Amino acid sequence: MCNKKAELVGSPERRKFLKTAGVFGAALATGGVGAVSSAQAQQPPIPKNEISGDAALTRLMDGNKRYVEGNITPADFPSTREALAQAQNPFAAIVGCSDSRVAPELAFDTGRGDLFVVRIAGNVVTPEGFASLEYCVEELGTQLIMVLGHQGCGAVQAAISSVQSGNQLPGHIPSLVELLLPPVQQAQSESGDILSNAIKANVQWGVAALQQAAPILNSHVQDGTLRVVGGVYDLHTGQVELVT
């Protein structure tokens, strides 16, 4: 019985119910039940976003290719504005760095409502980040998460400098450095450029943490309804290289 219940909680039918219930719940809270038709409640706001993790990854990488080549899709906000006012169903989630030079929506040539983005310096996953991604996967039905690092990451460099010098950084920065210690320590034992190695290792640590995050994300990974991958963005070319 317990296994069956867990299976139902993570099933596509359960997620569809939750999305439908969310739309009606919002309408009830605002007293606007009549404004939301049953058709709107049953249909995803962006039907093309209802895709598998594999298809979502292909779509991301195709979009990045267009971005690198300069063939980006013209913005078309008006066509989805009304639908997105009712709900959302992003086809992918991105755990990215706060660096102002890396904008996932642009790097993957996507539109509003396509990506659920969690950003923090060093693209580390905090408890709040885990909760945000659990919501995205369980409630919105997203089947792909990408941990996106980038070349020349200042947060990773700060962690390396702190480890090598032994100096305590000011303010709340040490709490961020602490989260970056495992990949930095791993990079120290590898040949090659320590910063590049640490950036890649940090992405891999993030992917592993999300894949193993119980009780929600790991169950979706195990039943094949969630894929977690990693990538590194090149500041010079804009290209994203998959690292997992």
Side-chain angles (χ1 to χ4, degrees):
M1 180 64 71
C2 291
N3 290 339
K4 185 63 176 177
K5 182 177 180 182
E7 180 181 327
L8 289 173
V9 168
S11 67
E13 291 78 15
R14 169 63 172 167
R15 291 196 298 276
K16 183 176 181 180
F17 168 78
L18 288 168
K19 285 187 285 185
T20 303
V23 173
F24 278 114
L28 288 170
T30 58
V33 179
V36 182
S37 69
S38 59
Q40 286 176 315
Q42 293 171 3
Q43 293 296 321
I46 306 180
K48 68 178 182 179
N49 284 0
E50 298 284 294
I51 56 178
S52 69
D54 289 345
L57 181 58
T58 297
R59 183 170 163 188
L60 277 183
M61 300 310 291
D62 286 348
N64 181 244
K65 184 175 185 293
R66 293 193 301 273
Y67 172 74
V68 171
E69 296 173 346
N71 297 321
I72 58 174
T73 306
D76 184 20
F77 177 52
S79 67
T80 57
R81 179 164 47 205
E82 186 58 34
L84 289 173
Q86 302 296 335
Q88 61 172 320
N89 63 321
F91 75 88
I94 307 292
V95 179
C97 181
S98 300
D99 194 298
S100 62
R101 299 167 293 179
V102 185
E105 292 87 351
L106 296 178
F108 294 110
D109 188 28
T110 57
R112 286 172 56 92
D114 287 338
L115 299 182
F116 187 95
V117 183
V118 177
R119 298 183 68 172
I120 189 169
N123 48 274
V124 294
V125 187
T126 65
E128 295 80 7
F130 278 113
S132 297
L133 294 167
E134 288 171 345
Y135 168 77
C136 180
V137 171
E138 184 74 2
E139 303 287 334
L140 305 180
T142 303
Q143 297 193 35
L144 176 72
I145 299 174
M146 175 181 282
V147 180
L148 182 63
H150 68 91
Q151 175 197 42
C153 182
V156 176
Q157 181 60 67
I160 293 172
S161 299
S162 179
V163 169
Q164 292 179 335
S165 68
N167 294 333
Q168 181 84 351
L169 295 172
H172 292 84
I173 299 177
S175 63
L176 182 62
V177 169
E178 184 176 353
L179 294 173
L180 291 164
L181 281 180
V184 168
Q185 291 168 343
Q186 175 182 322
Q188 285 182 310
S189 64
E190 299 172 344
S191 61
D193 180 70
I194 187 172
L195 178 57
S196 296
N197 289 342
I199 289 169
K200 181 178 178 179
N202 183 40
V203 168
Q204 293 170 331
W205 275 78
V207 169
L210 291 170
Q211 289 174 331
Q212 299 165 20
I216 295 176
L217 299 184
N218 68 335
S219 66
H220 283 277
V221 170
Q222 291 165 7
D223 69 19
T225 57
L226 175 63
R227 185 173 179 187
V228 186
V229 301
V232 175
Y233 177 91
D234 188 307
L235 293 175
H236 296 285
T237 66
Q239 184 172 359
V240 174
E241 178 187 359
L242 295 177
V243 298
T244 55

